[in-house]
mmCIF file of all heavy atoms in Angstrom:
data_model
loop_
_atom_site.group_PDB
_atom_site.id
_atom_site.type_symbol
_atom_site.label_atom_id
_atom_site.label_comp_id
_atom_site.label_asym_id
_atom_site.label_seq_id
_atom_site.Cartn_x
_atom_site.Cartn_y
_atom_site.Cartn_z
ATOM 1 N N ALA A 1 0.854 -1.181 0.006
ATOM 2 C CA ALA A 1 -0.021 -0.032 -0.011
ATOM 3 C C ALA A 1 0.895 1.212 0.018
ATOM 4 O O ALA A 1 1.786 1.363 0.860
ATOM 5 C CB ALA A 1 -0.899 -0.006 1.237
ATOM 6 N N ILE A 2 0.643 2.141 -0.973
ATOM 7 C CA ILE A 2 1.489 3.314 -1.145
ATOM 8 C C ILE A 2 0.638 4.568 -1.112
ATOM 9 O O ILE A 2 -0.436 4.587 -1.751
ATOM 10 C CB ILE A 2 2.281 3.260 -2.464
ATOM 11 C CG1 ILE A 2 3.297 2.116 -2.444
ATOM 12 C CG2 ILE A 2 3.007 4.548 -2.738
ATOM 13 C CD1 ILE A 2 4.063 1.908 -3.735
ATOM 14 N N ASP A 3 1.101 5.639 -0.451
ATOM 15 C CA ASP A 3 0.405 6.894 -0.505
ATOM 16 C C ASP A 3 0.780 7.564 -1.798
ATOM 17 O O ASP A 3 1.992 7.921 -1.978
ATOM 18 C CB ASP A 3 0.857 7.742 0.715
ATOM 19 C CG ASP A 3 0.074 9.039 0.796
ATOM 20 O OD1 ASP A 3 -0.495 9.481 -0.229
ATOM 21 O OD2 ASP A 3 0.037 9.651 1.892
ATOM 22 N N PRO A 4 -0.138 7.781 -2.734
ATOM 23 C CA PRO A 4 0.208 8.328 -4.033
ATOM 24 C C PRO A 4 0.757 9.762 -3.965
ATOM 25 O O PRO A 4 1.484 10.199 -4.864
ATOM 26 C CB PRO A 4 -1.142 8.379 -4.818
ATOM 27 C CG PRO A 4 -2.050 7.406 -4.084
ATOM 28 C CD PRO A 4 -1.588 7.467 -2.653
ATOM 29 N N ARG A 5 0.463 10.495 -2.883
ATOM 30 C CA ARG A 5 0.863 11.875 -2.734
ATOM 31 C C ARG A 5 2.388 12.069 -2.470
ATOM 32 O O ARG A 5 2.898 13.129 -2.784
ATOM 33 C CB ARG A 5 0.103 12.529 -1.624
ATOM 34 C CG ARG A 5 -1.435 12.585 -1.846
ATOM 35 C CD ARG A 5 -2.163 12.965 -0.547
ATOM 36 N NE ARG A 5 -1.912 12.004 0.539
ATOM 37 C CZ ARG A 5 -2.401 12.148 1.770
ATOM 38 N NH1 ARG A 5 -3.185 13.212 2.032
ATOM 39 N NH2 ARG A 5 -2.170 11.246 2.682
ATOM 40 N N ASN A 6 3.026 11.032 -1.958
ATOM 41 C CA ASN A 6 4.464 11.164 -1.666
ATOM 42 C C ASN A 6 5.271 9.877 -1.814
ATOM 43 O O ASN A 6 6.505 9.919 -1.600
ATOM 44 C CB ASN A 6 4.612 11.705 -0.227
ATOM 45 C CG ASN A 6 3.909 10.880 0.812
ATOM 46 O OD1 ASN A 6 3.716 9.668 0.619
ATOM 47 N ND2 ASN A 6 3.459 11.506 1.896
ATOM 48 N N GLY A 7 4.621 8.814 -2.179
ATOM 49 C CA GLY A 7 5.404 7.530 -2.311
ATOM 50 C C GLY A 7 5.646 6.828 -1.022
ATOM 51 O O GLY A 7 6.336 5.755 -1.013
ATOM 52 N N GLY A 8 5.124 7.287 0.106
ATOM 53 C CA GLY A 8 5.337 6.620 1.380
ATOM 54 C C GLY A 8 4.665 5.252 1.391
ATOM 55 O O GLY A 8 3.454 5.144 1.098
ATOM 56 N N VAL A 9 5.387 4.215 1.830
ATOM 57 C CA VAL A 9 4.841 2.848 1.844
ATOM 58 C C VAL A 9 4.141 2.677 3.211
ATOM 59 O O VAL A 9 4.760 2.722 4.253
ATOM 60 C CB VAL A 9 5.959 1.805 1.670
ATOM 61 C CG1 VAL A 9 5.353 0.417 1.771
ATOM 62 C CG2 VAL A 9 6.668 2.019 0.340
ATOM 63 N N LEU A 10 2.807 2.466 3.159
ATOM 64 C CA LEU A 10 2.013 2.400 4.344
ATOM 65 C C LEU A 10 1.914 0.945 4.851
ATOM 66 O O LEU A 10 1.754 0.702 6.026
ATOM 67 C CB LEU A 10 0.589 2.884 4.085
ATOM 68 C CG LEU A 10 0.499 4.330 3.488
ATOM 69 C CD1 LEU A 10 -0.944 4.691 3.192
ATOM 70 C CD2 LEU A 10 1.092 5.338 4.531
ATOM 71 N N ALA A 11 2.059 -0.021 3.968
ATOM 72 C CA ALA A 11 2.084 -1.396 4.337
ATOM 73 C C ALA A 11 2.890 -2.176 3.253
ATOM 74 O O ALA A 11 2.792 -1.861 2.094
ATOM 75 C CB ALA A 11 0.675 -1.993 4.446
ATOM 76 N N LEU A 12 3.665 -3.101 3.752
ATOM 77 C CA LEU A 12 4.413 -3.967 2.799
ATOM 78 C C LEU A 12 4.474 -5.367 3.429
ATOM 79 O O LEU A 12 5.241 -5.577 4.395
ATOM 80 C CB LEU A 12 5.842 -3.446 2.530
ATOM 81 C CG LEU A 12 6.580 -4.087 1.353
ATOM 82 C CD1 LEU A 12 7.521 -3.092 0.729
ATOM 83 C CD2 LEU A 12 7.384 -5.324 1.830
ATOM 84 N N VAL A 13 3.616 -6.270 2.949
ATOM 85 C CA VAL A 13 3.373 -7.561 3.533
ATOM 86 C C VAL A 13 3.842 -8.670 2.601
ATOM 87 O O VAL A 13 3.606 -8.597 1.397
ATOM 88 C CB VAL A 13 1.901 -7.733 3.901
ATOM 89 C CG1 VAL A 13 1.576 -9.201 4.229
ATOM 90 C CG2 VAL A 13 1.466 -6.827 5.000
ATOM 91 N N SER A 14 4.539 -9.664 3.111
ATOM 92 C CA SER A 14 4.840 -10.900 2.427
ATOM 93 C C SER A 14 4.514 -12.017 3.372
ATOM 94 O O SER A 14 5.044 -12.078 4.438
ATOM 95 C CB SER A 14 6.326 -10.952 2.017
ATOM 96 O OG SER A 14 6.606 -12.175 1.338
ATOM 97 N N LYS A 15 3.621 -12.904 2.914
ATOM 98 C CA LYS A 15 3.239 -14.020 3.740
ATOM 99 C C LYS A 15 3.481 -15.372 3.049
ATOM 100 O O LYS A 15 3.192 -15.471 1.845
ATOM 101 C CB LYS A 15 1.756 -13.921 4.137
ATOM 102 C CG LYS A 15 1.356 -14.944 5.212
ATOM 103 C CD LYS A 15 0.077 -14.573 5.930
ATOM 104 C CE LYS A 15 -0.173 -15.560 7.059
ATOM 105 N NZ LYS A 15 -1.406 -15.267 7.793
ATOM 106 N N PRO A 16 4.000 -16.331 3.769
ATOM 107 C CA PRO A 16 4.340 -16.311 5.204
ATOM 108 C C PRO A 16 5.650 -15.561 5.478
ATOM 109 O O PRO A 16 6.500 -15.417 4.602
ATOM 110 C CB PRO A 16 4.440 -17.805 5.543
ATOM 111 C CG PRO A 16 4.980 -18.407 4.262
ATOM 112 C CD PRO A 16 4.307 -17.675 3.170
ATOM 113 N N GLY A 17 5.750 -15.116 6.740
ATOM 114 C CA GLY A 17 6.977 -14.534 7.183
ATOM 115 C C GLY A 17 7.738 -15.493 8.103
ATOM 116 O O GLY A 17 7.550 -16.724 8.029
ATOM 117 N N PHE A 18 8.600 -14.959 8.933
ATOM 118 C CA PHE A 18 9.372 -15.783 9.848
ATOM 119 C C PHE A 18 9.659 -14.953 11.066
ATOM 120 O O PHE A 18 9.449 -13.716 11.104
ATOM 121 C CB PHE A 18 10.686 -16.202 9.186
ATOM 122 C CG PHE A 18 11.560 -15.063 8.749
ATOM 123 C CD1 PHE A 18 12.508 -14.469 9.595
ATOM 124 C CD2 PHE A 18 11.416 -14.511 7.486
ATOM 125 C CE1 PHE A 18 13.280 -13.400 9.160
ATOM 126 C CE2 PHE A 18 12.150 -13.450 7.045
ATOM 127 C CZ PHE A 18 13.077 -12.890 7.894
ATOM 128 N N ASP A 19 10.102 -15.599 12.111
ATOM 129 C CA ASP A 19 10.393 -14.869 13.375
ATOM 130 C C ASP A 19 11.840 -14.343 13.300
ATOM 131 O O ASP A 19 12.813 -15.086 13.352
ATOM 132 C CB ASP A 19 10.268 -15.820 14.558
ATOM 133 C CG ASP A 19 10.525 -15.085 15.884
ATOM 134 O OD1 ASP A 19 10.778 -13.875 15.881
ATOM 135 O OD2 ASP A 19 10.470 -15.761 16.971
ATOM 136 N N PRO A 20 12.055 -13.029 13.107
ATOM 137 C CA PRO A 20 13.425 -12.472 13.020
ATOM 138 C C PRO A 20 14.243 -12.605 14.260
ATOM 139 O O PRO A 20 15.479 -12.580 14.202
ATOM 140 C CB PRO A 20 13.157 -10.989 12.638
ATOM 141 C CG PRO A 20 11.808 -10.686 13.182
ATOM 142 C CD PRO A 20 11.014 -11.972 13.053
ATOM 143 N N ASN A 21 13.560 -12.837 15.422
ATOM 144 C CA ASN A 21 14.297 -12.987 16.672
ATOM 145 C C ASN A 21 15.163 -14.245 16.679
ATOM 146 O O ASN A 21 16.133 -14.334 17.440
ATOM 147 C CB ASN A 21 13.323 -12.988 17.846
ATOM 148 C CG ASN A 21 12.572 -11.719 18.044
ATOM 149 O OD1 ASN A 21 13.156 -10.662 18.349
ATOM 150 N ND2 ASN A 21 11.254 -11.719 17.791
ATOM 151 N N LEU A 22 14.843 -15.221 15.783
ATOM 152 C CA LEU A 22 15.629 -16.435 15.701
ATOM 153 C C LEU A 22 17.070 -16.180 15.233
ATOM 154 O O LEU A 22 17.944 -16.934 15.537
ATOM 155 C CB LEU A 22 14.980 -17.428 14.764
ATOM 156 C CG LEU A 22 13.650 -18.062 15.191
ATOM 157 C CD1 LEU A 22 13.057 -18.849 14.036
ATOM 158 C CD2 LEU A 22 13.874 -18.983 16.357
ATOM 159 N N PHE A 23 17.227 -15.084 14.466
ATOM 160 C CA PHE A 23 18.529 -14.825 13.836
ATOM 161 C C PHE A 23 19.472 -13.964 14.727
ATOM 162 O O PHE A 23 20.668 -13.865 14.380
ATOM 163 C CB PHE A 23 18.292 -14.070 12.546
ATOM 164 C CG PHE A 23 17.720 -14.974 11.433
ATOM 165 C CD1 PHE A 23 16.336 -15.110 11.344
ATOM 166 C CD2 PHE A 23 18.525 -15.629 10.546
ATOM 167 C CE1 PHE A 23 15.802 -15.935 10.382
ATOM 168 C CE2 PHE A 23 17.985 -16.428 9.525
ATOM 169 C CZ PHE A 23 16.592 -16.582 9.443
ATOM 170 N N VAL A 24 18.971 -13.341 15.741
ATOM 171 C CA VAL A 24 19.723 -12.392 16.500
ATOM 172 C C VAL A 24 20.963 -13.053 17.142
ATOM 173 O O VAL A 24 22.092 -12.518 17.075
ATOM 174 C CB VAL A 24 18.843 -11.662 17.563
ATOM 175 C CG1 VAL A 24 19.732 -10.795 18.441
ATOM 176 C CG2 VAL A 24 17.781 -10.839 16.904
ATOM 177 N N ASP A 25 20.763 -14.171 17.824
ATOM 178 C CA ASP A 25 21.871 -14.833 18.497
ATOM 179 C C ASP A 25 22.616 -15.816 17.563
ATOM 180 O O ASP A 25 23.613 -16.450 17.987
ATOM 181 C CB ASP A 25 21.346 -15.700 19.667
ATOM 182 C CG ASP A 25 20.668 -14.801 20.720
ATOM 183 O OD1 ASP A 25 21.007 -13.618 20.763
ATOM 184 O OD2 ASP A 25 19.752 -15.286 21.430
ATOM 185 N N GLY A 26 22.187 -15.966 16.323
ATOM 186 C CA GLY A 26 22.734 -16.988 15.421
ATOM 187 C C GLY A 26 21.767 -18.084 15.376
ATOM 188 O O GLY A 26 21.665 -18.891 16.325
ATOM 189 N N ILE A 27 21.053 -18.247 14.266
ATOM 190 C CA ILE A 27 20.029 -19.284 14.178
ATOM 191 C C ILE A 27 20.641 -20.685 14.145
ATOM 192 O O ILE A 27 21.713 -20.876 13.542
ATOM 193 C CB ILE A 27 19.161 -19.050 12.910
ATOM 194 C CG1 ILE A 27 17.965 -20.010 12.879
ATOM 195 C CG2 ILE A 27 19.971 -19.185 11.646
ATOM 196 C CD1 ILE A 27 16.941 -19.623 11.838
ATOM 197 N N ASP A 28 20.031 -21.612 14.891
ATOM 198 C CA ASP A 28 20.586 -22.960 14.927
ATOM 199 C C ASP A 28 20.301 -23.691 13.631
ATOM 200 O O ASP A 28 19.314 -23.379 12.908
ATOM 201 C CB ASP A 28 20.046 -23.740 16.105
ATOM 202 C CG ASP A 28 18.579 -24.054 15.948
ATOM 203 O OD1 ASP A 28 17.736 -23.134 16.210
ATOM 204 O OD2 ASP A 28 18.279 -25.183 15.584
ATOM 205 N N PRO A 29 21.103 -24.704 13.268
ATOM 206 C CA PRO A 29 20.958 -25.412 11.989
ATOM 207 C C PRO A 29 19.525 -26.016 11.757
ATOM 208 O O PRO A 29 19.035 -26.010 10.626
ATOM 209 C CB PRO A 29 21.986 -26.491 12.013
ATOM 210 C CG PRO A 29 23.041 -25.979 12.932
ATOM 211 C CD PRO A 29 22.316 -25.180 13.977
ATOM 212 N N GLN A 30 18.915 -26.520 12.824
ATOM 213 C CA GLN A 30 17.623 -27.087 12.672
ATOM 214 C C GLN A 30 16.517 -26.095 12.221
ATOM 215 O O GLN A 30 15.761 -26.330 11.316
ATOM 216 C CB GLN A 30 17.170 -27.821 13.987
ATOM 217 C CG GLN A 30 15.808 -28.510 13.820
ATOM 218 C CD GLN A 30 15.397 -29.240 15.132
ATOM 219 O OE1 GLN A 30 16.238 -29.511 15.977
ATOM 220 N NE2 GLN A 30 14.131 -29.507 15.301
ATOM 221 N N SER A 31 16.516 -24.952 12.928
ATOM 222 C CA SER A 31 15.542 -23.942 12.627
ATOM 223 C C SER A 31 15.848 -23.353 11.226
ATOM 224 O O SER A 31 14.887 -23.089 10.449
ATOM 225 C CB SER A 31 15.632 -22.754 13.618
ATOM 226 O OG SER A 31 15.254 -23.234 14.911
ATOM 227 N N TRP A 32 17.117 -23.199 10.887
ATOM 228 C CA TRP A 32 17.460 -22.743 9.560
ATOM 229 C C TRP A 32 17.015 -23.669 8.451
ATOM 230 O O TRP A 32 16.467 -23.286 7.403
ATOM 231 C CB TRP A 32 18.963 -22.488 9.456
ATOM 232 C CG TRP A 32 19.454 -22.264 8.010
ATOM 233 C CD1 TRP A 32 20.184 -23.095 7.248
ATOM 234 C CD2 TRP A 32 19.221 -21.063 7.238
ATOM 235 N NE1 TRP A 32 20.392 -22.523 6.000
ATOM 236 C CE2 TRP A 32 19.818 -21.301 6.004
ATOM 237 C CE3 TRP A 32 18.543 -19.860 7.483
ATOM 238 C CZ2 TRP A 32 19.792 -20.327 4.968
ATOM 239 C CZ3 TRP A 32 18.517 -18.933 6.468
ATOM 240 C CH2 TRP A 32 19.136 -19.138 5.241
ATOM 241 N N GLY A 33 17.231 -24.985 8.737
ATOM 242 C CA GLY A 33 16.786 -26.000 7.749
ATOM 243 C C GLY A 33 15.260 -25.962 7.500
ATOM 244 O O GLY A 33 14.809 -26.114 6.401
ATOM 245 N N GLU A 34 14.543 -25.749 8.614
ATOM 246 C CA GLU A 34 13.071 -25.697 8.499
ATOM 247 C C GLU A 34 12.618 -24.545 7.640
ATOM 248 O O GLU A 34 11.712 -24.599 6.848
ATOM 249 C CB GLU A 34 12.453 -25.692 9.877
ATOM 250 C CG GLU A 34 12.605 -27.005 10.662
ATOM 251 C CD GLU A 34 12.130 -26.848 12.094
ATOM 252 O OE1 GLU A 34 11.732 -25.748 12.481
ATOM 253 O OE2 GLU A 34 12.174 -27.882 12.835
ATOM 254 N N LEU A 35 13.252 -23.391 7.884
ATOM 255 C CA LEU A 35 12.875 -22.171 7.112
ATOM 256 C C LEU A 35 13.343 -22.265 5.644
ATOM 257 O O LEU A 35 12.571 -21.942 4.756
ATOM 258 C CB LEU A 35 13.534 -20.925 7.737
ATOM 259 C CG LEU A 35 12.903 -20.445 9.107
ATOM 260 C CD1 LEU A 35 13.687 -19.297 9.661
ATOM 261 C CD2 LEU A 35 11.434 -19.999 8.875
ATOM 262 N N ASN A 36 14.596 -22.650 5.504
ATOM 263 C CA ASN A 36 15.140 -22.664 4.133
ATOM 264 C C ASN A 36 14.559 -23.741 3.252
ATOM 265 O O ASN A 36 14.465 -23.607 2.055
ATOM 266 C CB ASN A 36 16.644 -22.844 4.246
ATOM 267 C CG ASN A 36 17.398 -22.506 2.969
ATOM 268 O OD1 ASN A 36 17.081 -21.506 2.325
ATOM 269 N ND2 ASN A 36 18.351 -23.303 2.618
ATOM 270 N N GLY A 37 14.072 -24.837 3.881
ATOM 271 C CA GLY A 37 13.574 -25.933 3.101
ATOM 272 C C GLY A 37 12.045 -25.947 2.981
ATOM 273 O O GLY A 37 11.474 -26.844 2.332
ATOM 274 N N SER A 38 11.376 -24.994 3.576
ATOM 275 C CA SER A 38 9.934 -24.982 3.533
ATOM 276 C C SER A 38 9.401 -24.704 2.127
ATOM 277 O O SER A 38 9.880 -23.787 1.456
ATOM 278 C CB SER A 38 9.398 -23.902 4.504
ATOM 279 O OG SER A 38 8.019 -23.740 4.318
ATOM 280 N N PRO A 39 8.404 -25.484 1.668
ATOM 281 C CA PRO A 39 7.812 -25.232 0.323
ATOM 282 C C PRO A 39 7.092 -23.899 0.262
ATOM 283 O O PRO A 39 6.848 -23.360 -0.841
ATOM 284 C CB PRO A 39 6.832 -26.379 0.141
ATOM 285 C CG PRO A 39 6.521 -26.863 1.543
ATOM 286 C CD PRO A 39 7.768 -26.630 2.328
ATOM 287 N N ASP A 40 6.757 -23.331 1.430
ATOM 288 C CA ASP A 40 6.077 -22.004 1.465
ATOM 289 C C ASP A 40 7.030 -20.829 1.290
ATOM 290 O O ASP A 40 6.620 -19.679 1.169
ATOM 291 C CB ASP A 40 5.288 -21.789 2.753
ATOM 292 C CG ASP A 40 4.107 -22.730 2.838
ATOM 293 O OD1 ASP A 40 3.512 -23.076 1.738
ATOM 294 O OD2 ASP A 40 3.699 -23.119 3.986
ATOM 295 N N LYS A 41 8.340 -21.079 1.308
ATOM 296 C CA LYS A 41 9.420 -20.095 1.119
ATOM 297 C C LYS A 41 9.195 -18.820 2.003
ATOM 298 O O LYS A 41 9.033 -17.736 1.496
ATOM 299 C CB LYS A 41 9.448 -19.710 -0.364
ATOM 300 C CG LYS A 41 9.843 -20.859 -1.297
ATOM 301 C CD LYS A 41 10.098 -20.389 -2.707
ATOM 302 C CE LYS A 41 10.428 -21.563 -3.653
ATOM 303 N NZ LYS A 41 11.560 -22.346 -3.210
ATOM 304 N N PRO A 42 9.198 -19.026 3.289
ATOM 305 C CA PRO A 42 9.004 -17.873 4.210
ATOM 306 C C PRO A 42 10.088 -16.822 4.156
ATOM 307 O O PRO A 42 9.877 -15.704 4.549
ATOM 308 C CB PRO A 42 8.926 -18.521 5.600
ATOM 309 C CG PRO A 42 9.643 -19.810 5.467
ATOM 310 C CD PRO A 42 9.391 -20.267 4.049
ATOM 311 N N LEU A 43 11.268 -17.208 3.652
ATOM 312 C CA LEU A 43 12.386 -16.251 3.575
ATOM 313 C C LEU A 43 12.307 -15.372 2.312
ATOM 314 O O LEU A 43 13.046 -14.390 2.232
ATOM 315 C CB LEU A 43 13.700 -17.018 3.604
ATOM 316 C CG LEU A 43 14.038 -17.817 4.899
ATOM 317 C CD1 LEU A 43 15.321 -18.568 4.713
ATOM 318 C CD2 LEU A 43 14.038 -16.866 6.095
ATOM 319 N N LEU A 44 11.462 -15.689 1.413
ATOM 320 C CA LEU A 44 11.302 -14.845 0.173
ATOM 321 C C LEU A 44 10.366 -13.718 0.448
ATOM 322 O O LEU A 44 9.242 -13.865 0.891
ATOM 323 C CB LEU A 44 10.710 -15.746 -0.925
ATOM 324 C CG LEU A 44 10.268 -15.001 -2.213
ATOM 325 C CD1 LEU A 44 11.513 -14.395 -2.907
ATOM 326 C CD2 LEU A 44 9.521 -15.927 -3.147
ATOM 327 N N ASN A 45 10.840 -12.524 0.151
ATOM 328 C CA ASN A 45 9.980 -11.335 0.201
ATOM 329 C C ASN A 45 9.229 -11.187 -1.102
ATOM 330 O O ASN A 45 9.685 -10.648 -2.092
ATOM 331 C CB ASN A 45 10.880 -10.060 0.456
ATOM 332 C CG ASN A 45 10.018 -8.823 0.718
ATOM 333 O OD1 ASN A 45 8.807 -8.824 0.505
ATOM 334 N ND2 ASN A 45 10.643 -7.786 1.164
ATOM 335 N N ARG A 46 7.999 -11.755 -1.104
ATOM 336 C CA ARG A 46 7.214 -11.802 -2.276
ATOM 337 C C ARG A 46 6.812 -10.389 -2.803
ATOM 338 O O ARG A 46 6.627 -10.181 -3.972
ATOM 339 C CB ARG A 46 5.941 -12.588 -2.069
ATOM 340 C CG ARG A 46 6.200 -14.083 -1.907
ATOM 341 C CD ARG A 46 4.918 -14.821 -1.475
ATOM 342 N NE ARG A 46 5.058 -16.221 -1.684
ATOM 343 C CZ ARG A 46 5.644 -17.097 -0.853
ATOM 344 N NH1 ARG A 46 6.160 -16.622 0.251
ATOM 345 N NH2 ARG A 46 5.738 -18.382 -1.106
ATOM 346 N N ALA A 47 6.781 -9.414 -1.909
ATOM 347 C CA ALA A 47 6.363 -8.058 -2.300
ATOM 348 C C ALA A 47 7.403 -7.354 -3.172
ATOM 349 O O ALA A 47 7.033 -6.588 -4.044
ATOM 350 C CB ALA A 47 6.083 -7.217 -1.053
#
């Protein structure tokens, strides 16, 4: 969703997403494998 008057992005959604808190300490291999191998491609920013 963009404001036509100035180009400001009011919403930018890509679903499914992922929990970014998993990456802060260094994501463990199991969680990374689940995200990277998911057929829903949660790491892809579809927008």
Side-chain angles (χ1 to χ4, degrees):
I2 295 177
D3 187 338
R5 300 169 297 180
N6 54 29
V9 179
L10 305 176
L12 194 149
V13 169
S14 178
K15 190 161 186 180
F18 58 91
D19 183 2
N21 296 294
L22 290 172
F23 289 86
V24 174
D25 299 334
I27 189 168
D28 69 280
Q30 182 178 340
S31 297
W32 169 253
E34 291 172 358
L35 287 174
N36 197 42
S38 171
D40 291 331
K41 299 187 182 301
L43 297 176
L44 171 67
N45 187 347
R46 290 172 164 84

